[in-house]
Amino acid sequence: MIRDWVNWKWLSGDHIVEQHVHNIDVFMWFSGLKPLKATGFGSRQRRLTGDQYDNFSVDFEFENGVHLHSMCRQIDGCSHNVSERVNGTHGYWEGSAGNRGVIRDLNGNVLWEYDHDAAEKEYSQHDPYTLEHINWVNHIRSGEPINQAEETAQSTLAGIMGRESAYSGQTVGWDEMSALSLSYMPDNLELKNVDLSKYTVPVPGSGK
């Protein structure tokens, strides 16, 4: 199970929490909001091992009628799209590997665009994964603590809300999930042969 960790929910949290949580985090960072409730569904189509789903589709409801439609899947041979889109009153922003820092109006005209040429001239490093480590090291060297634990915990809980709503087939709330005592950890972590029949794929609406 440890070698196949990505397919077991007690190890990975399922891919909505292990991977897609980054996309959920983008919206929560952008909006500064926490979801009030989540209504989701998912299924298992192709996975050969583990006890988790292949796909999720979740409607997160926030304050003031704001909604986030969050979709993810891990199925070979399907369209590949990792991105975010935020719709506003007068336009929208889309974020993806090939489209960074562009805001358009409702007709698709560019309202604002990040000046990549100016950034190239001023800065020598542009890879975001390198820059986050530079930021981290600079904080250590300067003695200025950086603490993003709360934001991380909130985005993780949102991912868990989506997962549990899909697993159960029920709408779940933020306060409900915050108070819930939930663990998929095995009772015994001793390295030994494991009865895998105990690890079943969730069935929505079953009450389990």
Side-chain angles (χ1 to χ4, degrees):
M1 296 177 86
I2 292 174
R3 290 173 178 158
D4 188 38
W5 67 271
V6 75
N7 290 305
W8 299 93
K9 59 180 178 280
W10 78 269
L11 283 162
S12 73
D14 211 316
H15 66 92
I16 189 175
V17 178
E18 183 266 323
Q19 187 177 54
H20 184 61
V21 68
H22 297 296
N23 304 89
I24 296 172
D25 181 63
V26 168
F27 183 80
M28 291 183 64
W29 164 79
F30 181 90
S31 67
L33 301 173
K34 297 181 295 187
L36 301 176
K37 57 186 178 180
T39 305
F41 60 85
S43 65
R44 181 186 177 98
Q45 306 287 339
R46 300 260 304 271
R47 259 180 170 78
L48 300 178
T49 62
D51 60 350
Q52 62 185 52
Y53 283 179
D54 291 327
N55 56 86
F56 290 88
S57 180
V58 184
D59 173 42
F60 290 100
E61 183 176 338
F62 296 79
E63 297 172 4
N64 301 321
V66 174
H67 283 258
L68 164 64
H69 185 197
S70 173
M71 300 179 290
C72 58
R73 70 178 169 202
Q74 289 183 340
I75 303 178
D76 290 342
C78 297
S79 297
H80 181 75
N81 181 355
V82 180
S83 63
E84 303 87 22
R85 174 169 171 151
V86 178
N87 291 315
T89 307
H90 301 292
Y92 61 92
W93 166 82
E94 287 183 308
S96 66
N99 179 21
R100 296 176 296 168
V102 179
I103 299 174
R104 301 179 185 274
D105 66 19
L106 298 177
N107 295 317
N109 301 308
V110 175
L111 298 176
W112 179 87
E113 184 172 7
Y114 182 72
D115 193 337
H116 292 281
D117 292 336
E120 289 285 345
K121 293 178 181 178
E122 186 171 355
Y123 303 105
S124 60
Q125 180 57 254
H126 302 274
D127 176 66
Y129 303 106
T130 302
L131 288 171
E132 67 180 353
H133 284 83
I134 291 173
N135 187 41
W136 177 47
V137 171
N138 284 340
H139 275 84
I140 293 173
R141 289 177 171 172
S142 66
E144 298 177 3
I146 179 171
N147 186 349
Q148 297 173 319
E150 183 174 356
E151 294 94 331
T152 302
Q154 290 176 349
S155 296
T156 301
L157 184 59
I160 292 172
M161 284 175 63
R163 180 192 69 193
E164 293 303 311
S165 176
Y167 281 177
S168 66
Q170 306 299 318
T171 297
V172 300
W174 179 269
D175 293 338
E176 173 191 357
M177 291 304 302
S178 298
L180 185 65
S181 177
L182 175 68
S183 175
Y184 291 119
M185 290 283 289
D187 294 331
N188 188 340
L189 293 177
E190 179 185 354
L191 292 175
K192 61 178 181 179
N193 291 332
V194 175
D195 180 6
L196 298 182
S197 66
K198 297 179 180 179
Y199 297 86
T200 58
V201 177
V203 179
S206 67
K208 299 181 180 179

